[in-house]
Amino acid sequence: ALWCLMMSVTPTRGCLLDLPWEDILVPHILCHLPLQQLLSLQRVSKSFQSLIQLYLANMRCFDSSQIGPAIPRAAFVNLLKDNEVLQQLALQNCSDWLTDQELLPVIGQNHHLHQIQLKGCAQLSRHALVAISLSCPNLRQLSLAHCEWVDSLSLRSLADHCKALEAVDLTACRQLKDEAICYLVQKCGRLKSLSLAVNANVGDVAVEETAKCCPELEHLDLTGCLRVKNDSIRVLAEYCPKLRSLKVKHCHNVAESSLSILRSRGVELDVEPPLQRALVLLQDVVGFAPFINLQI
């Protein structure tokens, strides 16, 4: 229907392209079309090509998943070469083609970015994070999950320049140790969500400092952090009254004695209480768990 509308021309009604581009077409019509369809429209005519180029230059949000898993390098560079107003950039799992060479120019000319998603972008380097920290002072959400190139120096740069951060995902950033995490939370006290999952180098020191520096913390993921123990979980309970969810699965040194404090406050935990786990195991063994009477 939209295609017919675009191509329809009558003596009394002009073509859709006769409508004001910047006031009507770009903000009220093109924004509702998938990016992949917009790119296809460029082949209709030179006028449509100019219109789509205008749209791309004024686009506030770019999500690579709208185009497909594999974007040619040249295509990505061409799509964003004129854009200086991006607010959200999502390039997750673009490890096959995304390097510093493609990303840094986009970051360097977009100073209004407040949300960046780089999950699984394995070919980037620490220079990418330094560029983000220097160009995006208003950054609020950043995902660097499975980006093993993130090191303590680049994270310090982020902490020094992006103090408005509210959500950071450092899942499987295995170069990071307690010291780097402590520096981040000391500088970024507005954090509401933090993931340190799958990092064997993170321990109680980082968790306790996070608790003391980030009173607004609502979500913390410590999945697989084997060095985290009960003491830091108790500190977390004491200093983070707004905590809503905590993930400690595979944290073998965290027991119910510390988790029960959070559980009593209604904090969502990803591990079940011991009694419930025991009943589940029993049900798996015998097929059901009828009328178990426990006397303690």
Side-chain angles (χ1 to χ4, degrees), residues 246-250 254-257 259-260 263 267-284:
L246 173 66
K247 295 183 178 181
V248 289
K249 198 170 185 179
H250 305 303
V254 174
E256 184 64 22
S257 58
L259 294 177
S260 60
R263 204 184 297 279
V267 175
E268 180 182 345
L269 302 173
D270 64 342
V271 293
E272 298 170 341
L275 177 58
Q276 188 170 348
R277 286 203 300 271
L279 293 178
V280 171
L281 289 174
L282 181 60
Q283 186 171 5
D284 290 340

Side-chain angles (χ1 to χ4, degrees), residues 145-210:
H146 302 281
C147 294
E148 297 195 22
W149 45 265
V150 177
D151 61 10
S152 59
L153 289 177
S154 57
L155 194 69
R156 286 174 72 93
S157 178
L158 179 73
D160 284 335
H161 296 94
C162 299
K163 297 180 181 180
L165 280 167
E166 295 180 356
V168 179
D169 188 346
L170 298 172
T171 298
C173 293
R174 295 186 176 92
Q175 288 195 58
L176 301 178
K177 299 181 180 179
D178 281 349
E179 182 182 3
I181 303 303
C182 289
Y183 192 87
L184 173 69
V185 298
Q186 288 166 2
K187 296 287 185 175
C188 303
R190 301 181 188 178
L191 281 176
K192 296 181 179 180
S193 177
L194 177 64
S195 175
L196 304 173
V198 199
N199 192 333
N201 293 317
V202 170
D204 284 344
V205 173
V207 175
E208 290 180 13
E209 194 67 15
T210 299

